[in-house]
Amino acid sequence: MARTQGSHSDITGPRVREAALHLFARHGYAAVSMRKIAAEVGVQAGALYNYTPDKQTLLFELMRAHMEELLAAWDAATPPPEAGVRAALEAFTRFHIRFNTRRADAVFVSYMELRNLDPENFNVIEGLRRDYETRLEAILRRGVAEGRFAVAEPRIGAMALIAMLTGVNTWFRERGRLSLAEVEALYWDMVRRAVANQG
Amino acid sequence: MARTQGSHSDITGPRVREAALHLFARHGYAAVSMRKIAAEVGVQAGALYNYTPDKQTLLFELMRAHMEELLAAWDAATPPPEAGVRAALEAFTRFHIRFNTRRADAVFVSYMELRNLDPENFNVIEGLRRDYETRLEAILRRGVAEGRFAVAEPRIGAMALIAMLTGVNTWFRERGRLSLAEVEALYWDMVRRAVANQG
DNA sequence: GGTTTATCTGAACATCCGTTCAAATCAAGG
DNA sequence: CCTTGATTTGAACGGATGTTCAGATAAACC
């Protein structure tokens, strides 16, 4: 036996990545075998190698795609400078929560599986992560320069805020007590006060 | 050949746990074999089973020990009620940063390897984690009740602050630009303002 | 309808996995 | 010094691992 009915690269490729992302998020990269990914797709393990040269690259590409989509999405959602630095910070806060809760699997994998990346792959992902942190850092710096924010260490402030916002993923559930809009409002309130100048 | 010189349970037991904690933190539970742990200790794989019934229990006991030490250490460091709620929050902030940076491996494992726990073991660790969050939540609630803090959702506020504080572990290095005391001060400043009533 | 090409199967590869256990060895107590 | 008990070795177990590849099959094109 060999090629099955309905088989097609345009269909199987995305399904492989979906299955891998889901399984990696749930059980971890090292605990998920190529055979398990193949079973989830409904295919034999060997067929996966039409879509990735190896398991490591499959992980890396998932993480890279996520980080690049994150950066592109934020760059597309960044308010114009004339909207003011406060609007920029609010936009970042809400964007981060919204984007990350909608892609919980990719966020989880991109953070948890860093240690399973080859050194060169790790450096790429780490660079993208730094890029993203720098976006927020720039907002904080501008706010300080304009006398609107009080942040002694903008780089550390950026990392602290991102850690806080990403933490939403550990408890937020779509059908929970609080809507996404309510969660955004709660966190924006904390972010705003954490960096505010007055008070 | 068999028993080697200098072998003793009192020595090997802790060394097994140390090696396991270090390797689990560095490479992840699933990626670390019993043979690798044994090699780090300088022993054959079979000898590990004098100190743990199986690999799963070894992981679980590391996590349980860490969480219980965390709770005991905070309970021992909690300021008396008459010191005031603000002092309690500052003490928690500083305690969390100090304790967690000193035990980075255990913190990392206790968070990252949750998904590798058997369901019943997971429930135990999750319960301990909730206990710890509840300690901070209680401080926030008291602050709100006394009119000193403004926190709309104390449970979520507690999780948000803990996420922010734990984030220190991702970048803090003992010999970095900032001392632990400086980091504590930076974060306490952000925590204080994030929950403050005035402003 | 016949040919080509993309896609998949199924078996095979060497290697590693967690765990068990009899036999061997060392430390401690009398 | 000899016995007893704790500790470790080394081999073995069945099974899972990532990856390769010749052969089989379905889809696409003429």
Side-chain angles (χ1 to χ4, degrees):
Chain A
M1 303 165 210
R3 186 170 182 175
T4 55
Q5 265 194 345
S7 67
H8 200 311
S9 182
D10 299 348
I11 295 173
T12 310
R15 289 192 61 205
V16 167
R17 287 186 285 276
E18 278 166 36
L21 185 65
H22 181 239
L23 290 172
F24 287 165
R26 198 170 180 81
H27 305 291
Y29 172 76
V32 173
S33 68
M34 294 300 269
R35 285 172 177 81
K36 282 179 192 151
I37 298 170
E40 182 99 345
V41 177
V43 103
Q44 294 298 316
L48 299 182
Y49 291 84
N50 289 320
Y51 305 99
T52 181
D54 48 41
K55 191 187 178 190
Q56 165 73 206
T57 305
L58 178 56
L59 172 65
F60 170 63
E61 290 298 335
L62 288 172
M63 294 172 74
R64 193 172 63 87
H66 170 68
M67 292 305 296
E68 282 175 354
E69 284 164 23
L70 174 69
L71 281 164
W74 166 242
D75 288 347
T78 306
E82 60 267 25
V85 71
R86 196 187 134 110
L89 184 60
E90 178 170 1
F92 186 94
T93 300
R94 293 180 181 276
F95 165 82
H96 187 91
I97 292 174
R98 226 174 310 126
F99 191 90
N100 280 14
T101 51
R102 298 267 156 92
R103 310 204 182 196
D105 282 353
V107 172
F108 204 64
V109 168
S110 296
Y111 176 62
M112 308 280 275
E113 305 299 350
L114 281 169
R115 61 188 169 184
N116 286 309
L117 288 176
D118 288 346
E120 48 195 326
N121 290 341
F122 175 85
N123 288 335
V124 173
I125 302 300
E126 197 61 11
L128 291 168
R129 176 183 311 281
R130 259 198 293 274
D131 283 354
Y132 186 65
E133 288 168 358
T134 304
R135 302 283 205 282
L136 176 55
E137 183 188 348
I139 294 172
L140 296 181
R141 283 192 190 283
R142 181 183 161 200
V144 170
E146 294 181 3
R148 297 183 165 277
F149 298 163
V151 182
E153 293 274 350
R155 172 103 245 170
I156 290 168
M159 291 189 292
L161 294 182
I162 287 174
M164 186 173 88
L165 297 176
T166 305
V168 172
N169 270 27
T170 62
W171 58 266
F172 180 75
R173 295 297 170 261
E174 196 79 53
R175 313 206 182 298
R177 182 168 60 86
L178 297 173
S179 70
L180 197 56
E182 288 171 320
V183 173
E184 283 178 30
L186 275 172
Y187 275 75
W188 165 232
D189 207 45
M190 286 190 283
V191 167
R192 182 175 52 77
R193 292 192 284 169
V195 306
N197 200 4
Q198 77 258 24
Chain B
M1 304 169 209
R3 186 171 182 176
T4 56
Q5 265 194 345
S7 66
H8 201 311
S9 181
D10 298 348
I11 296 173
T12 309
R15 289 193 60 206
V16 168
R17 287 186 286 276
E18 279 166 36
L21 185 64
H22 182 240
L23 290 172
F24 287 166
R26 200 170 181 82
H27 306 290
Y29 172 76
V32 173
S33 67
M34 294 299 270
R35 284 172 178 83
K36 282 179 191 151
I37 298 171
E40 181 100 345
V41 177
V43 102
Q44 295 298 317
L48 299 181
Y49 291 83
N50 289 320
Y51 305 99
T52 181
D54 48 41
K55 192 186 177 191
Q56 165 72 206
T57 305
L58 178 55
L59 172 65
F60 170 64
E61 289 298 335
L62 287 173
M63 295 172 72
R64 193 172 63 88
H66 170 69
M67 293 306 297
E68 282 175 355
E69 284 165 22
L70 174 69
L71 281 165
W74 166 244
D75 287 346
T78 306
E82 61 268 26
V85 71
R86 195 187 135 109
L89 184 59
E90 179 172 1
F92 186 94
T93 300
R94 293 181 181 276
F95 165 82
H96 187 91
I97 291 174
R98 226 176 308 127
F99 191 90
N100 280 13
T101 52
R102 298 265 157 92
R103 309 205 182 195
D105 281 352
V107 172
F108 204 62
V109 168
S110 296
Y111 176 61
M112 308 278 275
E113 305 299 350
L114 282 170
R115 60 188 169 185
N116 285 308
L117 288 175
D118 289 346
E120 49 194 325
N121 290 341
F122 176 85
N123 287 336
V124 173
I125 303 299
E126 196 60 12
L128 291 168
R129 175 182 312 279
R130 258 198 293 274
D131 282 355
Y132 186 65
E133 288 168 359
T134 303
R135 302 282 205 284
L136 175 55
E137 183 188 348
I139 293 172
L140 296 182
R141 285 193 188 282
R142 182 184 159 199
V144 171
E146 295 180 3
R148 296 182 165 278
F149 298 162
V151 182
E153 293 274 350
R155 167 117 289 230
I156 289 168
M159 292 190 291
L161 294 181
I162 288 175
M164 185 172 88
L165 296 175
T166 306
V168 172
N169 269 28
T170 64
W171 59 267
F172 180 75
R173 295 298 170 263
E174 195 78 55
R175 311 205 184 299
R177 181 168 60 87
L178 299 172
S179 70
L180 198 57
E182 289 171 320
V183 174
E184 284 177 28
L186 276 171
Y187 275 76
W188 164 232
D189 207 44
M190 286 189 284
V191 167
R192 183 176 50 76
R193 291 191 285 168
V195 306
N197 199 6
Q198 77 259 22

